[in-house]
Amino acid sequence: MTSSSSPSQDTKRFAHAYPEGLRADALMEEDVAWSHEIDGERDGDQFDRTERAALRRVVGLSTELEDVTEVEYRQLRLERVVLVGVWTTGTAQDADNSLAELAALAETAGAVVLDGVIQRRDKPDAATYIGSGKAAELRDVVLETGADTVICDGELSPGQLIQLEDVVKVKVIDRTALILDIFAQHAKSREGKAQVALAQMQYMLPRLRGWGQSLSRQMGGGRGGLATRGPGETKIETDRRRIREKMAKMRREIADMKTGREVKRQERRRNKVPSVAIAGYTNAGKSSLLNRLTGAGVLVENALFATLDPTVRRAETPSGRVYTLADTVGFVRHLPHHLVEAFRSTMEEVGDSDLILHVVDGSHPVPEEQLAAVREVIRDVGATDVPEIVVINKADAADPLTLQRLMRMEKRSIAVSARTGRGITELLALIDNELPRPSVEVEALVPYTHGKLVARAHTEGEVISEEHTAEGTLLKVRVHEELASDLAPYTPAPAL
């Protein structure tokens, strides 16, 4: 941090060479190394950050002067940005960490961070977010750095956006719009794209702007008449009505897609398959952990919100019990409520699970803040009653004192490294112990002609002992009530 050139002492200025250490705090090194024993058996292709952002030569396109190179659209519009934060509560380090996370979000979206400023205020200014005097200073910073965009570390009202743009003379966006842009880039499935589009329209609706012909009124809606009667609606009112109609249509489509997801969940419930949901802060290593536990081919890269679409995979405990493991969308501080609402159907995987693996980045300087941010969203989706295991990931890169502090604070916690495999065996054993167990213990002699019952006992229950005799398979199992009633006719008679 360097002091601002301004005479006032309540504004702090980041150096032009934005400190790498601060960015590393928010965007920690992900376990992206490829190894045959881990990655060789995955069920999907792997793509890294380099390939996603690579330049691609278009064969056969040329001009008289030079070849034409096609660049990924996101790179064509790389924006040079200045970050602005308002420090209202907490320490100066908290404010720095928040702006560093905003820098990591901006870089994930494809922008180049040139500078950042933090202002100390009791509350954001109602007109320009940072006050008229500081807005004028921000204009000087924009001119000095040659930036074309200002990103504010908070959600701005429509009036604040307009008035701040009038002063700095470049585009102004807020944290919510930035996160929505990242989601729009990374959504791949039909449901994910629909959820992002709905959240974008919810955000856009109160922020529509018009000028010139956009403010003129259309003809009225009276019956007949030479010029019709009534003032009619303005163009901006028409746009708002159309957006509301699109939002209603999008909600119906998401509800239809939710039905398919619910059918799959009901099928798992019918088969009494326990479910485990992986939740946690973005870039904490959730997808890496899923790949390590199940061999799933989920994209892993050092970027915020790299994977948005939930992935469900089948897994087994060390004792042979079958369960499902679901990777969910990552969370972040001040996650826009539009996104929480739009992704509610996806986040229901957390609420409907039997166990939550709450993944936290152990190498982050303040992991407690990550825990608090994720639990706030878990409360929003109504999953506070689901048992939780805190999985402290990246233990190989974490400070031992931080690991000790976290494990002392969180009683049901375990330190692992999805990259090296450290602690994975202990985590699997802990999952086995924490998953709900069948409630009825049964001993049955199942004839060999009823092998399906034996198979169900293995998949739906917990086999304590199994012995093959001349009459059939002697089972001692712990099962749910429905299967217990099916096994009841084969219960051996008590010895006299």
Side-chain angles (χ1 to χ4, degrees), residues 277-287 289 305 307 326-333 335 347 350 356-361 369-375 377-378 388-391 393:
I278 302 178
Y281 213 76
T282 180
N283 209 45
K286 299 183 299 300
S287 298
L289 186 64
F305 299 114
T307 50
D327 182 20
T328 61
V329 63
F331 304 141
V332 73
R333 279 181 295 188
L335 190 67
M347 294 176 181
V350 178
I356 296 176
L357 297 184
H358 184 165
V359 183
V360 61
D361 183 354
E369 291 184 1
Q370 292 191 353
L371 289 168
V374 174
R375 283 170 175 159
V377 180
I378 289 176
E388 174 191 74
I389 297 176
V390 176
V391 181
N393 194 23

Side-chain angles (χ1 to χ4, degrees), residues 6 100 110 187 202 243 269 362 376 449 474 494:
S6 166
Q202 286 177 315
I243 288 179
R269 291 194 206 102
E376 182 179 349
T449 55
L474 182 61

Side-chain angles (χ1 to χ4, degrees), residues 28-100:
M28 298 306 298
E29 184 61 31
E30 182 56 277
D31 22 55
V32 296
W34 191 94
S35 66
H36 178 75
E37 59 182 86
I38 301 173
D39 302 85
E41 301 300 325
R42 286 181 177 171
D43 58 359
D45 296 329
Q46 291 292 292
F47 304 96
D48 58 18
R49 188 68 173 172
T50 304
E51 183 176 349
R52 178 182 276 186
L55 302 180
R56 300 190 300 277
R57 174 81 61 175
V58 180
V59 180
L61 290 183
S62 64
T63 66
E64 295 179 357
L65 299 178
E66 59 182 354
D67 290 339
V68 177
T69 301
E70 182 202 24
V71 186
E72 186 176 342
Y73 176 69
R74 184 182 61 76
Q75 286 211 332
L76 273 176
R77 49 190 303 276
L78 283 180
E79 297 182 8
R80 299 160 59 83
V81 303
V82 171
L83 310 179
V84 181
V86 173
W87 169 22
T88 56
T89 58
T91 64
Q93 186 61 43
D94 293 337
D96 290 349
N97 289 338
S98 181
L99 207 66

Side-chain angles (χ1 to χ4, degrees), residues 137 151 170 197 275 304 320 322 331 349 364 391 399 430 451 456 459:
E137 292 180 22
I151 304 179
V170 295
S275 61
L304 305 182
V322 176
F331 304 141
E349 293 288 351
H364 193 273
V391 181
D399 181 2
L430 189 57
R456 286 182 60 193
T459 56

Side-chain angles (χ1 to χ4, degrees), residues 451-468:
K452 287 185 177 180
L453 281 177
V454 178
R456 286 182 60 193
H458 279 276
T459 56
E460 300 177 21
E462 183 181 356
V463 178
I464 301 173
S465 64
E466 182 178 13
E467 181 183 352
H468 298 289

Side-chain angles (χ1 to χ4, degrees), residues 190-204:
R190 179 168 169 258
E191 183 174 11
K193 290 178 180 178
Q195 290 168 329
V196 172
L198 176 60
Q200 287 178 318
M201 286 187 285
Q202 286 177 315
Y203 174 81
M204 187 194 313

